[in-house]
Amino acid sequence: MTNPGRLSAPGDLDKPGSLSGPGSLQANGSPAGPAAATESEEATKPAPDPAGAGIPAGEPLAAFAKRYNLEPAAARPPVLKYLRLLWQRRQFITGFATASNVAMYSEARLGQLWQVLTPLLNAAVYFFIFGVLLHVNRGVPGYVPFLVTGIFVFNFTQRSCITSSTVMRENLPLIRALPFPRGCLPLGYVIIELQQLLLSFTVLFVIILAYGEPLTWYWLLTPLVLVFQTLFNVGCAFILARWGSGFDDVSQLLPFIIRTWMYASGVIFSISTSLALVPGQSLYNHKHLAYLLQINPAAVYITLIRNSLLTEQRISMPGYHPYNALRCAMYGSPAKFHVSPAQFKNEVIYFSSYCHPIVSQPALWLYAVGWALLAVVVGFVFFWRAETRYGRG
């Protein structure tokens, strides 16, 4: 050290704020070494994008997303794209339905037999109350196949509606964990009920044949009717799934509405004959009300399947034969013509086919197609519009 405050060795301090050796400070106080230069260059670079997308400085995120065709993960897809997504996940839908169907009765000792026993037990109860005690079967040929067919077919729509009303709330963990079109869930639940219906139909066919109904080509119309009914059920499932996702009251109120719908759909009695053609019955003087009851969706699908499977029902439908006033009057008022009970049961009970129909058979097919298309289109759009809301509550 030669002078106070001065170093003669490398890196000595020859003037205030400077070092003469490597790593010395210049007069302006900036780093002079290679490491310092590198740090200086890094400091002047723009901060990296935290998402790693390389968004240019000053460019709005919306513009950047549009340039690279990026979409928000929770955005609602367009209708056609949404339909494609559902079709791409058809294996997931059917697999989900099959697994749920198998697990539904896994803890019961009778297992899958309950899918058949439940509607059969309901049919037995209704037959005892309405057929034996109240004699509602009056004027209906082959009442047991008539009743069982109506219960099985209506049960398909009933179960589809009730289970779909709770499907979104019951599957909240699945909705929040996996990205998929939420429409897969109500579709899957309708398929569950369709699988159960097909199993029940094997028992229904045995019952029908055991009661002497012949096997005819009209049976081939049954799958077509089921296609229309399934589409209608899908539309109802979409609507009720959206309502049920936000309001638990829907699932609480729905069983009462469904039960009323069942009584108004001719499941237990014949709207077109017993109530509309017999003097003194509730619909004899209210043809407009009888018309509305006959064109309600459940009644339409039940009637078409009955006419496909049950020959006695088909040949006794009003309008099956050309109009005959005398025979029509004999069906409505057998006592007036001194018709014995045995004669009525074996012959006159089929004279309802000589009466004017309130709703013709071709009209029923048109209503079947119309209800199916209306329900599935309206239900799908209604459900799709709330796609981003499911799973939030």
Side-chain angles (χ1 to χ4, degrees):
M1 180 178 291
T2 56
N3 291 322
R6 179 178 180 85
L7 291 173
S8 58
D12 61 334
L13 186 63
D14 54 8
K15 53 184 174 181
S18 67
L19 286 173
S20 59
S24 61
L25 286 173
Q26 303 299 325
N28 56 5
S30 62
T38 302
E39 293 176 0
S40 178
E41 292 175 0
E42 292 292 336
T44 59
K45 288 183 179 180
D49 176 52
I55 301 177
E59 182 176 8
L61 291 176
F64 180 82
K66 183 177 181 181
R67 180 154 58 93
Y68 289 97
N69 297 322
L70 302 177
E71 298 179 355
R76 182 183 65 198
V79 172
L80 295 180
K81 182 178 179 181
Y82 193 78
L83 287 172
R84 288 196 300 270
L85 291 174
L86 288 175
W87 174 251
Q88 292 170 2
R89 287 162 175 81
R90 60 190 181 277
Q91 294 181 347
F92 165 76
I93 297 173
T94 55
F96 172 79
T98 303
S100 301
N101 201 5
V102 171
M104 191 174 299
Y105 300 100
S106 60
E107 297 183 0
R109 293 195 176 187
L110 296 180
Q112 303 298 313
L113 285 177
W114 281 111
Q115 298 181 15
V116 179
L117 288 177
T118 300
L120 281 178
L121 292 174
N122 287 333
V125 172
Y126 290 138
F127 174 75
F128 177 74
I129 295 176
F130 295 97
V132 177
L133 299 182
L134 302 180
H135 300 286
V136 175
N137 59 334
R138 189 264 179 205
V140 180
Y143 184 70
V144 171
F146 172 91
L147 177 63
V148 175
T149 302
I151 290 177
F152 276 37
V153 175
F154 185 82
N155 190 64
F156 177 32
T157 296
Q158 173 182 265
R159 292 287 305 165
S160 297
C161 293
I162 291 178
T163 57
S164 297
S165 66
T166 60
V167 62
M168 307 309 290
R169 288 184 288 106
E170 289 180 352
N171 291 278
L172 276 179
L174 180 63
I175 293 174
R176 291 170 176 171
L178 298 176
F180 64 94
R182 309 313 185 198
C184 294
L185 294 176
L187 279 174
Y189 273 62
V190 174
I191 293 178
I192 291 174
E193 303 305 328
L194 178 61
Q195 292 174 345
Q196 294 189 5
L197 175 70
L198 295 179
L199 179 60
S200 301
F201 261 40
T202 58
V203 178
L204 176 62
F205 293 154
V206 173
I207 294 175
I208 291 174
L209 295 174
Y211 271 82
E213 287 285 346
L215 182 64
T216 66
W217 71 268
Y218 285 96
W219 285 40
L220 299 177
L221 297 176
T222 303
L224 182 59
V225 182
L226 288 180
V227 169
F228 296 142
Q229 186 184 10
T230 301
L231 290 176
F232 174 78
N233 291 353
V234 167
C236 293
F238 278 136
I239 294 173
L240 292 170
R242 176 175 172 179
W243 282 345
S245 66
F247 305 99
D248 183 59
D249 306 85
V250 174
S251 60
Q252 301 299 324
L253 184 62
L254 196 58
F256 300 99
I257 299 176
I258 294 291
R259 189 176 299 114
T260 305
W261 190 14
M262 182 191 72
Y263 291 126
S265 299
V267 174
I268 301 170
F269 46 78
S270 174
I271 301 174
S272 60
T273 58
S274 300
L275 298 187
L277 301 180
V278 179
Q281 292 295 332
S282 55
L283 299 180
Y284 183 77
N285 295 318
H286 301 86
K287 302 301 183 184
H288 295 292
L289 178 58
Y291 182 88
L292 293 177
L293 291 178
Q294 288 187 50
I295 66 171
N296 98 71
V300 168
Y301 299 124
I302 290 172
T303 302
L304 289 177
I305 290 183
R306 280 172 174 164
N307 291 345
S308 300
L309 296 177
L310 309 177
T311 301
E312 287 189 329
Q313 293 302 313
R314 185 172 62 256
I315 65 176
S316 64
M317 282 289 294
Y320 184 81
H321 289 115
Y323 177 69
N324 186 303
L326 176 61
R327 293 194 170 189
C328 183
M330 290 178 66
Y331 173 82
S333 304
K336 182 179 178 181
F337 295 90
H338 306 287
V339 176
S340 65
Q343 184 183 4
F344 181 85
K345 181 179 180 180
N346 296 324
E347 181 183 2
V348 179
I349 195 172
Y350 300 103
F351 284 3
S352 57
S353 60
Y354 293 95
C355 301
H356 288 303
I358 296 177
V359 181
S360 65
Q361 187 78 359
L364 287 175
W365 281 101
L366 293 177
Y367 276 113
V369 176
W371 281 121
L373 294 179
L374 178 65
V376 75
V377 171
V378 173
F380 172 79
V381 173
F382 182 72
F383 182 89
W384 164 78
R385 290 177 63 87
E387 175 72 12
T388 58
R389 304 179 194 172
Y390 307 124
R392 295 185 177 181

